[in-house]
Amino acid sequence: MIVITAYTQGWNAVFRNGRMWLALYLFNLLLALLAALPFSGYLSRTIGSSLAAEGSPGGFDYTLFNDWLREYGQGLAPILDASLGFLLLYLLLSVFLMGGILLVFLQFAEPFRWGIFWRGCPRFFWRLLRLTVYFLLVQAAVLSLFGLLFYLTTGGFAIFEMETEMELVQPLYYLLPVYLLVAVLVFMVQDYAKIHVVQEDRKWLARPLRQAFGLVFRNFGSFFLLYLLNIATLLLLFGIYWWGSGPLSSAGSPALLFLWGQLFIFGRVGLRLLNLASAAYLYHRAVQHSGTEA
Amino acid sequence: MPPKPFLLFCFLLWGCRPAFSQLSPRTASYDIQVRLDTAEKKLYGRQALHWANPSADTVRELQYHLYLNAFRNSESTFMREAGNFGFMIDAMRENCGWGWTEVQRITDGDGNRLAMEYIAPDDGNPADRTVLRVPLARPVLPGGTIRAELEWTSQIPRAAARTGYNQDYYFLAQWFPKVGVYEPAGMRFAQAGQWNCHQYHAEGEYYSDFGVYNVAITLPAGFTVGASGVLQGVEEQGGEKTWAFRAEDVIDFTWAASPHFKEIKETHNGVQLRLLAYPYHEHLAERYFRVIKFAMDFCGSRFGPYPYPGLTIVDPPLHGMFSSAMEYPTLISTANLCFLPASVRTSELLLAHEFVHQYFMQMVASNEQEEPWLDEGITNYYEARIMDELFGPQSSTVDWLGFRMGNLESNRGEFFGLDNPQIADYGRFSWQFPEGSGHAISYSKTTLWLRTLEGLLGTEALDEVMGAYFRRWKFRHPCGQDFIDVVNEEVAKKFGNRFGENMDWFFGQVLYSTELCDYAVASIANTPVAPPAGIFEETEDCVRPEGKGEPRFRASVIVHRLEGLYFPVEVRITFEDGQTITEQWDGKARSREFVYEGRGRAVAAEIDPERRICLDKNFINNSRAVAPQKTGVRKYFLQFLFWMQNAMQGLSMLV
Ligand SMILES: [Zn+2]
């Protein structure tokens, strides 16, 4: 079955380009470190000579958190502001790296070469940035629409008009799955649009976008199944992390918990790559089938 | 077969039973017949008040609370103050669901029709009709009694604060004309005999005399009724049912009705527990009963058994949330949203709280309008004790998805979280706390200083003190000074003058000042001490410092009192060899130095290591170590780093 092939080919591509996987993880770690280091310094200055934080090995310590936030929280604001800056920077970096990642995956059987990767990064940056902005706007519109629908179905959260609190929850039973479906579809179209932009290397986005829509429409079954498979893998990763972090947290070993967390982040980066690699494979097969014109 | 004299004795004992079982002075008792018109949302009531003059005064008037008039229009004192009830009041306002009570007729036992007028003793607000003054045709002599009969009609407000209706759910609290408390000279703050009958304010509800309530409620047959007291019987006639209740030795009577109530009953310690919940909340019964039983045992072992035959728990539906989290004699309400996880224990803490009110508010009937801390604060403190003991001190309120919060901890969070925790002392009525600070001060600050008192006296001793206070003042009306007097007596009995002549120094600080408490370890210094050198009397030659051997150190630990409050505290100093010294410090000086020579270097110091002084606003600066402490820093840094990584990775999915 083509979807399974794409999925396994995706894994193959991820492992074949393991250096890129590692590099992307390191980018994540490095930027997060840059954002978090001022926090470490601030922690040292505020609780570094106190015994208050030493006695709370596992779990969340509300009293410590509360006292700290109240007494020293003012110093946190600039750190959080800087963190937001780093998040924005990471978003831009992700756009930049996306061109390289897709160019690498579109080489298929080729062994990994940094040259291809770095060539792709700047080449597609502006186009992928525009694409990201467009799709962010679409996602925001979808979210607002469903938010509005939820608001309307609950009568504007009119709790005094409701029979039970389930009336607050019940609309979510059908709205949430439909929303998730629509959001996933938009993400899916976005992924194939990106691949198409890189593959076709066109200056303007209107045509690749139209073509990506057409491609997804024509191959909806297999594209969507692959997407579900990738999402399921991601959920599995979250489950495994959750399963392991509880005992590690209560065991009171921050170092072990951190290592477990790093494995999780590494896994998340890998699954992001898996999604792109498997989609690139499926895209390639779909284009082959339908001739040169996608 | 038992001998005949024994049987006779038993019979005599049985005959005396009513006298033994009367728990309270029964100053104000009521016989009420009320009919609920569910179409008009109106109550039609007839009531007889039997009032006994508790004083040596000749009383020439009665004063009644007409609570529902608080919801008559936007100009009542309650509505002007009702900022905290914003969304409830909005709903009432928007739907024109105003409520009122009108007394059509009042007569005394001789059949004299009595005059009446509205008064506003607190603020002179002419639009406020929550207090009715009734001059008597025949005064009530010292120790005398009067029977006053009223006919009244009430419009039930729609989803108002604490009381009202919504859809077909009715919660009738503060619903009938209720007489105030006549305070003889010397009782509480009364200089001369006076009626204590405040207007109804948005903050602070209770102050009433004890009595027996016989209440017959007539309403459509499909409704189930829960009420204070014990159900005496139900009679059906013409599509309506009359539910008769009797509540003895209580200060109020409240009832709730709905055709959707499911009734779940259990018995604990001989007390019938009756839960009235909507069908989709039935599954919560186990959680509710668990905490009620625990609280009942907890209070029973400290203050005495719960003396009433029953307790009704009302679990309001979502549209009845205006009535949630309330305490009335032998009837309490909780709140729950069934999509919340069980480890968010809002309903448990509410039930624990409202149950403790049966002791502090209902049996020890202090004046909540004038001294809210006396019932709410003590209740809140025991709520925290019950919750923390039942569910763990760091997770009793919430333990969900890694976020944990204990009940006592949350009180620290609330009080110190005020923009200005020094905004007000306790010397004000419940509606006079500025900027909505009443809750944080009356509830949370009281909890913190009671926990501090517990830290000083020990848990067992504090419970004994509180038990003594309860026993002395049950079925009476104490004021704050009465509480302080009991504490002073009991502490003197148990500890002599260990804490000074009395505990006034404590209450002067926590009740009558707005100062805060913060102790900090300012510094730890270890200075090498050179051995003696030079010419001494008993030596002929010059004594030279020896270069060998372990160097001696002068270890100095300086502690500071950064805020105004002081309490005796322990200071624990740890030395490099792992030995510790615990110093007792009276905590008064702004700075105190502890010096040790020849014990080696001091490596850490901690003030109040057991955290007995819960009022200390910052536990972080209570300790200091010479070497950097890395475990905590590392832990929180790594967590922050991990969150950042996840946030970044999450963002990259948008690309
Ligand atoms: Zn309360």
Side-chain angles (χ1 to χ4, degrees):
Chain A
M1 194 179 170
I2 182 80
V3 174
I4 302 294
T5 315
Y7 184 72
T8 50
Q9 286 299 319
W11 274 120
N12 277 343
V14 171
F15 282 107
R16 197 168 55 243
N17 301 293
R19 276 180 289 170
M20 182 170 73
W21 183 359
L22 187 65
L24 291 175
Y25 161 74
L26 288 176
F27 281 135
N28 173 288
L29 179 64
L30 193 74
L31 227 64
L33 262 175
L34 285 175
L37 275 175
F39 182 67
S40 167
Y42 190 60
L43 275 176
S44 297
R45 284 198 298 284
T46 50
I47 60 169
S49 59
S50 171
L51 305 173
E54 301 304 291
S56 59
F60 177 74
D61 184 339
Y62 176 80
T63 293
L64 178 72
F65 175 73
N66 202 257
D67 283 9
W68 186 79
L69 210 59
R70 199 176 51 244
E71 299 294 328
Y72 312 109
Q74 280 169 333
L76 190 64
I79 295 170
L80 288 181
D81 287 349
S83 302
L84 282 178
F86 277 108
L87 284 175
L88 196 66
L89 195 66
Y90 190 79
L91 187 70
L92 292 175
L93 180 71
S94 301
V95 176
F96 178 75
L97 297 174
M98 183 56 73
I101 296 168
L102 289 176
L103 201 60
V104 166
F105 283 142
L106 286 168
Q107 307 304 310
F108 298 102
E110 296 274 324
F112 178 73
R113 287 207 306 275
W114 285 113
I116 298 172
F117 179 77
W118 289 123
R119 198 171 68 234
C121 291
R123 188 182 182 93
F124 301 103
F125 176 73
W126 290 110
R127 277 172 279 181
L128 290 178
L129 184 64
R130 266 164 27 225
L131 203 67
T132 302
V133 172
Y134 296 158
F135 276 95
L136 271 179
L137 290 174
V138 173
Q139 288 287 9
V142 169
L143 186 64
S144 309
L145 177 72
F146 278 89
L148 182 70
L149 281 175
F150 179 57
Y151 182 78
L152 292 176
T153 48
T154 56
F157 304 119
I159 59 164
F160 281 151
E161 308 302 324
M162 290 177 186
E163 188 62 41
T164 82
E165 61 265 35
M166 291 316 289
E167 287 173 42
L168 268 178
V169 184
Q170 270 156 355
L172 291 178
Y173 289 170
Y174 53 89
L175 280 179
L176 201 62
V178 177
Y179 164 70
L180 287 176
L181 183 72
V182 174
V184 160
L185 285 178
V186 174
F187 275 125
M188 199 167 82
V189 173
Q190 185 181 2
D191 279 347
Y192 285 99
K194 279 182 313 205
I195 294 168
H196 198 62
V197 164
V198 173
Q199 174 71 20
E200 298 287 305
D201 199 2
R202 286 185 203 272
K203 192 175 178 188
W204 302 107
L205 289 177
R207 194 176 147 95
L209 265 177
R210 223 175 35 245
Q211 288 172 342
F213 270 114
L215 195 68
V216 169
F217 187 72
R218 284 196 300 280
N219 302 279
F220 184 78
S222 53
F223 281 20
F224 189 63
L225 264 180
L226 178 67
Y227 221 80
L228 287 184
L229 202 56
N230 284 329
I231 289 172
T233 316
L234 186 67
L235 289 178
L236 183 71
L237 179 74
F238 271 89
I240 291 171
Y241 171 72
W242 190 252
W243 165 78
S245 63
L248 282 174
S249 174
S250 46
S253 168
L256 272 181
L257 192 65
F258 176 70
L259 279 180
W260 184 243
Q262 291 313 296
L263 278 176
F264 171 67
I265 298 288
F266 189 67
R268 279 190 74 173
V269 174
L271 292 190
R272 179 92 189 104
L273 292 179
L274 168 71
N275 181 49
L276 294 169
S278 55
Y281 179 84
L282 210 55
Y283 164 88
H284 183 65
R285 291 288 299 270
V287 171
Q288 274 183 340
H289 270 268
S290 56
T292 45
E293 178 64 14
Chain B
M1 190 175 157
K4 278 184 182 168
F6 179 75
L7 280 179
L8 186 67
F9 175 72
C10 289
F11 180 74
L12 283 175
L13 209 61
W14 178 252
C16 293
R17 193 185 57 92
F20 280 129
S21 62
Q22 178 171 331
L23 302 169
S24 74
R26 299 188 176 176
T27 305
S29 294
Y30 297 81
D31 296 317
I32 304 177
Q33 291 97 48
V34 63
R35 192 173 158 270
L36 167 64
D37 181 335
T38 52
E40 294 287 320
K41 314 295 181 195
K42 277 187 176 165
L43 295 172
Y44 298 95
R46 293 170 67 91
Q47 73 179 53
L49 161 73
H50 310 268
W51 187 74
N53 182 351
S55 72
D57 308 329
T58 298
V59 176
R60 296 175 193 283
E61 66 179 45
L62 297 177
Q63 289 186 10
Y64 280 92
H65 295 281
L66 298 185
Y67 292 110
L68 289 186
N69 280 342
F71 309 109
R72 190 165 166 268
N73 58 43
S74 59
E75 301 311 302
S76 72
T77 296
F78 185 105
M79 292 299 286
R80 286 179 181 177
E81 295 172 351
N84 284 356
F85 291 100
F87 79 103
M88 298 187 194
I89 299 298
D90 288 347
M92 188 179 75
R93 204 188 289 261
E94 281 161 23
N95 295 290
C96 208
W98 303 97
W100 43 258
T101 293
E102 251 178 46
V103 177
Q104 276 93 31
R105 183 186 164 89
I106 177 163
T107 53
D108 65 12
D110 302 331
N112 298 311
R113 189 159 179 165
L114 303 177
M116 46 194 161
E117 63 165 337
Y118 296 109
I119 57 171
D122 297 334
D123 62 2
N125 175 5
D128 194 83
R129 292 187 169 188
T130 56
V131 179
L132 187 73
R133 177 176 168 270
V134 181
L136 297 173
R138 196 155 58 92
V140 191
L141 297 174
T145 60
I146 186 174
R147 177 186 164 91
E149 293 186 5
L150 276 82
E151 281 174 34
W152 52 268
T153 306
S154 288
Q155 178 71 52
I156 306 169
R158 182 179 182 272
R162 306 183 186 114
T163 190
Y165 78 91
N166 195 7
Q167 301 183 21
D168 47 9
Y169 170 78
Y170 293 82
F171 195 88
L172 278 307
Q174 285 111 349
W175 57 283
F176 63 96
K178 189 163 81 167
V179 75
V181 175
Y182 189 82
E183 297 181 330
M187 175 182 165
R188 300 180 66 257
F189 307 112
Q191 310 276 337
Q194 62 176 30
W195 277 103
N196 190 312
C197 193
H198 288 292
Q199 293 160 249
Y200 192 22
H201 294 269
E203 297 295 332
E205 301 104 78
Y206 314 99
Y207 187 45
S208 318
D209 265 322
F210 291 92
V212 176
Y213 288 76
N214 289 300
V215 181
I217 301 161
T218 303
L219 75 178
F223 278 74
T224 299
V225 180
S228 300
V230 176
L231 182 63
Q232 304 294 300
V234 185
E235 261 182 38
E236 186 165 359
Q237 199 174 32
E240 288 192 326
K241 274 184 182 172
T242 298
W243 298 62
F245 291 91
R246 180 177 169 85
E248 296 180 355
D249 304 301
V250 294
I251 60 160
D252 198 3
F253 187 95
T254 294
W255 56 285
S258 165
H260 308 293
F261 275 148
K262 294 285 169 197
E263 186 179 21
I264 303 152
K265 285 182 180 170
E266 283 205 20
T267 303
H268 186 65
N269 298 345
V271 177
Q272 190 186 73
L273 307 175
R274 183 174 180 234
L275 169 66
L276 296 176
Y278 272 47
Y280 57 94
H281 275 194
E282 272 181 289
H283 64 286
L284 300 168
E286 201 180 317
R287 278 173 58 188
Y288 294 172
F289 285 134
R290 181 185 174 206
V291 71
I292 286 290
K293 288 174 185 175
F294 187 88
M296 199 174 266
D297 293 343
F298 187 97
C299 293
S301 64
R302 282 157 182 85
F303 315 123
Y306 177 78
Y308 300 101
L311 177 75
T312 299
I313 303 150
V314 176
D315 183 8
L318 184 68
H319 55 267
M321 278 295 172
F322 61 88
S323 65
S324 57
M326 288 308 301
E327 69 281 16
Y328 300 98
T330 74
L331 181 144
I332 59 179
S333 67
T334 181
N336 207 320
L337 299 172
C338 58
F339 52 77
L340 288 179
S343 50
V344 176
R345 299 192 184 93
T346 321
S347 47
E348 278 90 345
L349 76 86
L350 290 175
L351 286 171
H353 182 99
E354 312 311 350
F355 180 77
V356 178
H357 268 311
Q358 298 302 313
Y359 286 79
F360 299 102
M361 179 292 277
Q362 154 50 29
M363 283 187 264
V364 176
S366 51
N367 187 332
E368 189 186 345
Q369 287 193 302
E370 293 187 356
E371 294 174 296
W373 66 271
L374 209 46
D375 67 319
E376 290 298 357
I378 292 175
T379 295
N380 211 54
Y381 164 73
Y382 275 108
E383 169 207 317
R385 288 273 304 276
I386 288 168
M387 288 298 289
D388 287 1
E389 195 171 313
L390 185 56
F391 298 108
Q394 285 198 300
S395 53
S396 57
T397 297
V398 183
D399 186 5
W400 190 47
L401 295 179
F403 178 77
R404 304 188 310 169
M405 181 173 69
N407 194 300
L408 181 69
E409 291 185 304
S410 68
N411 282 289
R412 276 189 88 240
E414 187 191 13
F415 175 61
F416 293 124
L418 281 177
D419 287 341
N420 176 10
Q422 296 181 271
I423 194 164
D425 62 16
Y426 288 83
R428 62 198 67 230
F429 292 163
S430 56
W431 60 90
Q432 293 171 332
F433 284 90
E435 297 171 35
S437 59
H439 191 277
I441 292 173
S442 299
Y443 290 64
S444 295
K445 184 182 175 184
T446 311
T447 301
L448 298 187
W449 64 250
L450 276 169
R451 175 69 184 84
T452 300
L453 191 60
E454 179 198 334
L456 295 176
L457 307 182
T459 305
E460 204 176 308
L462 190 272
D463 282 344
E464 284 168 16
V465 170
M466 298 302 287
Y469 166 65
F470 173 78
R471 283 186 292 280
R472 184 171 310 172
W473 285 100
K474 65 180 175 180
F475 303 109
R476 296 168 70 195
H477 302 298
C479 67
Q481 189 57 48
D482 297 320
F483 174 77
I484 294 170
D485 290 345
V486 174
V487 176
N488 280 340
E489 275 176 43
E490 294 297 316
V491 169
K493 255 191 251 170
K494 283 180 203 317
F495 299 98
N497 63 356
R498 187 171 134 195
F499 294 102
E501 201 177 314
N502 55 43
M503 297 298 283
D504 286 355
W505 63 270
F506 180 86
F507 292 106
Q509 295 191 91
V510 300
L511 273 180
Y512 303 118
S513 91
T514 58
E515 295 294 326
L516 300 174
C517 172
D518 189 16
Y519 287 104
V521 179
S523 67
I524 302 172
N526 296 294
T527 327
V529 180
I535 312 287
F536 296 91
E537 279 178 22
E538 60 271 28
T539 57
E540 288 179 8
D541 295 333
C542 170
V543 176
R544 293 171 191 283
E546 290 177 26
K548 293 172 188 167
E550 285 291 304
R552 286 171 66 84
F553 283 95
R554 179 184 185 275
S556 152
V557 173
I558 297 177
V559 292
H560 283 172
R561 175 165 70 90
L562 300 176
E563 295 282 355
L565 299 187
Y566 68 88
F567 301 100
V569 286
E570 291 180 340
V571 182
R572 186 163 67 198
I573 295 117
T574 307
F575 293 89
E576 57 192 337
D577 60 359
Q579 300 277 337
T580 60
I581 291 180
T582 301
E583 302 279 2
Q584 306 294 327
W585 178 33
D586 64 11
K588 285 182 184 168
R590 283 288 177 178
S591 171
R592 168 80 198 266
E593 184 177 18
F594 298 95
V595 178
Y596 308 92
E597 256 193 56
R599 289 204 60 113
R601 278 177 286 219
V603 292
E606 188 166 13
I607 305 168
D608 188 25
E610 306 298 328
R611 295 197 177 174
R612 296 180 209 274
I613 312 300
C614 201
L615 269 173
D616 193 317
K617 73 186 177 95
N618 182 3
F619 285 141
I620 295 171
N621 64 7
N622 278 30
S623 58
R624 179 178 281 270
V626 172
Q629 298 299 295
K630 295 198 173 121
T631 314
V633 173
R634 201 178 296 135
K635 174 181 155 186
Y636 294 111
F637 163 68
L638 291 180
Q639 275 181 7
F640 187 79
L641 175 66
F642 181 59
W643 292 335
M644 280 307 295
Q645 286 182 281
N646 270 301
M648 286 175 168
Q649 197 52 33
L651 264 185
S652 76
M653 291 173 79
L654 298 175
V655 174

